[in-house]
Amino acid sequence: MAAGHWAGRTVLVTGGLGFIGSHFVEELLGLGARVLCLYRRDHPEVRAELPVTEALTALRVDVLDERALRAAADTVPGIDMVVNCATLDGNMQFLLQEPGRMLDENMRIVSHVLNLARDRAVPDVVLISSAEIYAYDETRPAREEDDHRRHMEFSPNGYRMSKMFTEVLADLYRTQFGMNIYTPRPTNVYGPRDDFATTTNHVIPNMLMRLAAGQDVEVWGDGSQLRTFIHVHDLVRAVLCMARSGEYPALNIGTPEAVSIRDLAFLVAQAAGQDQDRIRFAPDKPVGAARRALDLERFHKVVDFTPRPLKDGLRDTARWYRKNVLEVQ
């Protein structure tokens, strides 16, 4: 990573104490940037992991409050980039019960961030998108062109719809205002500071928590469905490479390392130091698409590093979980 590019720049990170946002804050500080970290919910355990430095300003701000967002932005003399990691997400029950709220709040967050960046003439804006924008029935790896320009379909998943409309709004703001907006589209993200709440819908934290609680890991179907994962730190580094290069407004972010959910369960058990015989299968449960993968041709042109293998990332995540969750309970 070219530290000199970010040294002395001021970056506003929304959702700055969240899973992905906190890693942006940490990485940017390490590269010499000044960071304005905005957060809605305080996470003292995350704040304790961040560097203690005058280059970090952390403010509790609800980005849904546009006046509060603009007032916070006024506390720094100039902003060179905004990275929006603020988003309303939740487990499957929440996704099904409150899709309208999820779409509404996430779109208002994006609108407030874009309007702030437009009015302050911020040179670069990053809106963290998702590989969820792609159709679920694709039989080949999804390319960046396979987005809303190719097809637009309704989904009862408010989170997915919010990511699709985020990209539509970004396109229109690029056209109307000439703004430099990036929409990275990561595959499944995992790593330290992930959501380890008991209601989490994230597969890797769910497996780690069940194993730690002495419970079996349930794999739906026969576990042959293939997925890809990327460590959160590698995601952050890739996005910063994307913004530094300025070559592509949209970019798939992932690794070519596809893994079956069955093998993922075995790898998580191994990383956690648990017996693999605690994995059982539920053949009557839905499994989703047989394979979901991203075309990474652009990704390999932009990034200047090789993402870590899944096995190494899982060990890192399991170590963090033992130290920062299990040992403090």
Side-chain angles (χ1 to χ4, degrees):
M1 180 64 64
H5 179 83
W6 302 103
R9 297 189 182 221
T10 299
V11 182
L12 187 161
V13 180
T14 64
L17 293 186
F19 170 37
I20 294 176
S22 64
H23 286 276
F24 270 105
V25 171
E26 189 172 40
E27 181 74 6
L28 286 163
L29 289 173
L31 294 173
R34 297 183 296 267
V35 178
L36 175 58
C37 166
L38 305 185
Y39 60 94
R40 178 162 59 176
R41 288 185 298 173
D42 196 7
H43 296 278
E45 72 284 1
V46 174
R47 291 169 66 98
E49 292 188 39
L50 298 178
V52 178
T53 170
E54 294 181 356
L56 173 61
T57 301
L59 299 175
R60 190 165 192 169
V61 174
D62 187 345
V63 187
L64 287 169
D65 185 338
E66 190 168 16
R67 289 186 179 181
L69 172 62
R70 290 174 178 265
D74 288 337
T75 63
V76 294
I79 299 173
D80 299 295
M81 183 168 74
V82 175
V83 180
N84 181 49
C85 300
T87 187
L88 179 64
D89 197 358
N91 60 19
M92 187 57 65
Q93 182 180 7
F94 184 76
L95 289 173
L96 294 173
Q97 291 182 345
E98 301 198 46
R101 175 190 170 193
M102 187 167 292
L103 175 60
D104 170 59
E105 291 195 11
N106 284 340
M107 290 311 303
R108 282 193 285 139
I109 288 171
V110 169
S111 176
H112 293 169
V113 167
L114 285 177
N115 289 332
L116 169 71
R118 177 199 61 199
D119 296 345
R120 299 292 198 277
V122 176
D124 296 307
V125 181
V126 174
L127 306 174
I128 303 298
S129 185
S130 171
E132 285 281 313
I133 68 161
Y134 296 120
Y136 290 142
D137 59 354
E138 291 287 353
T139 57
R140 56 168 173 76
R143 297 190 292 260
E144 283 82 0
E145 294 80 8
D146 297 329
D147 57 9
H148 56 275
R149 298 172 189 83
R150 180 182 169 199
H151 55 71
M152 195 78 178
E153 60 182 10
F154 173 78
S155 170
N157 183 330
Y159 177 81
R160 183 183 180 213
M161 294 298 291
S162 73
K163 292 301 183 183
M164 285 195 287
F165 281 115
T166 288
E167 298 221 8
V168 171
L169 193 60
D171 262 355
L172 297 179
Y173 268 57
R174 290 187 194 105
T175 300
Q176 181 174 352
F177 304 113
M179 295 174 66
N180 199 22
I181 306 170
Y182 300 99
T183 53
R185 301 166 179 169
T187 184
N188 301 288
V189 185
Y190 72 100
R193 304 179 198 143
D194 201 342
D195 180 10
F196 283 91
T198 55
T199 56
T200 184
N201 201 41
H202 296 184
V203 60
I204 290 174
N206 184 278
M207 288 179 176
L208 283 171
M209 288 190 300
R210 292 186 68 87
L211 289 167
Q215 301 171 351
D216 290 341
V217 171
E218 183 180 80
V219 175
W220 288 12
D222 64 0
S224 63
Q225 58 271 35
L226 295 175
R227 300 292 184 266
T228 58
F229 297 83
I230 189 163
H231 191 278
V232 63
H233 187 224
D234 293 333
L235 163 65
V236 168
R237 294 181 67 195
V239 171
L240 295 182
C241 285
M242 177 189 186
R244 191 181 74 233
S245 73
E247 189 171 355
Y248 301 112
L251 187 72
N252 289 337
I253 295 181
T255 76
E257 185 183 4
V259 62
S260 69
I261 299 301
R262 176 185 60 246
D263 289 344
L264 175 67
F266 291 140
L267 287 172
V268 171
Q270 184 180 55
Q274 299 288 339
D275 293 332
Q276 295 186 354
D277 59 5
R278 291 177 49 198
I279 298 167
R280 60 185 179 85
F281 298 87
D284 58 324
K285 296 291 183 67
V287 299
R291 178 185 178 92
R292 290 182 189 161
L294 300 177
D295 184 294
L296 299 175
E297 182 179 354
R298 290 185 182 179
F299 176 84
H300 293 306
K301 291 179 180 179
V302 169
V303 300
D304 59 3
F305 68 96
T306 301
R308 72 202 68 194
L310 179 60
K311 188 175 183 179
D312 294 346
L314 290 175
R315 282 199 298 263
D316 172 61
T317 305
R319 281 194 300 267
W320 182 90
Y321 176 63
R322 284 193 296 268
K323 179 181 178 181
N324 294 275
V325 179
L326 293 181
E327 294 181 8
V328 299
Q329 289 179 343

